[in-house]
Amino acid sequence: MDHDQDCPGLLPEPPTAELQLACVLHALADPIRLRIVSELADAGGDELNCLAFELPVTKSTMTHHFRVLREAGLIRQHRRGTSKMNTLRAEDLAARFPGLLDAVLAAAGCPARH
């Protein structure tokens, strides 16, 4: 489901129909970004604040990783006050690339999603 890009606080992201496999795979190829996606998958659709992720990188590097994931269409971000909230676009990814996300997470040794 594509969300209205005019929604207050919603950061730009590609519509589902425009998700590109090469961009998604590039974003998932980085271990830090794969970890972020795995943690969001474990959250089961719940929003997570960027600060909820304990990543071994600087704040600016973390911002870069979240931007790459959002621009590739893997996550949805919106502002809530001074925080950026993140959700995995699992349904959008499944609609565009059926089974891809589960296959990548399984191959990476991430727990199975239900």
Side-chain angles (χ1 to χ4, degrees), residues 15-76:
T16 303
E18 294 178 17
L19 296 179
Q20 297 178 12
L21 183 60
C23 293
V24 170
L25 292 176
H26 169 76
L28 290 170
D30 182 276
I32 296 293
R33 293 192 291 264
L34 184 59
R35 180 171 160 184
I36 292 168
V37 169
S38 176
E39 289 184 29
L40 286 169
D42 289 346
D46 290 343
E47 294 181 335
L48 295 180
N49 185 312
C50 289
L51 300 177
F53 298 86
E54 295 182 20
L55 303 172
V57 296
T58 64
K59 184 177 178 181
S60 63
T61 301
M62 189 162 52
T63 298
H64 164 76
H65 286 306
F66 279 102
R67 182 181 51 79
V68 169
L69 289 169
R70 179 177 43 82
E71 290 178 353
L74 284 152
I75 66 170
R76 175 165 288 122

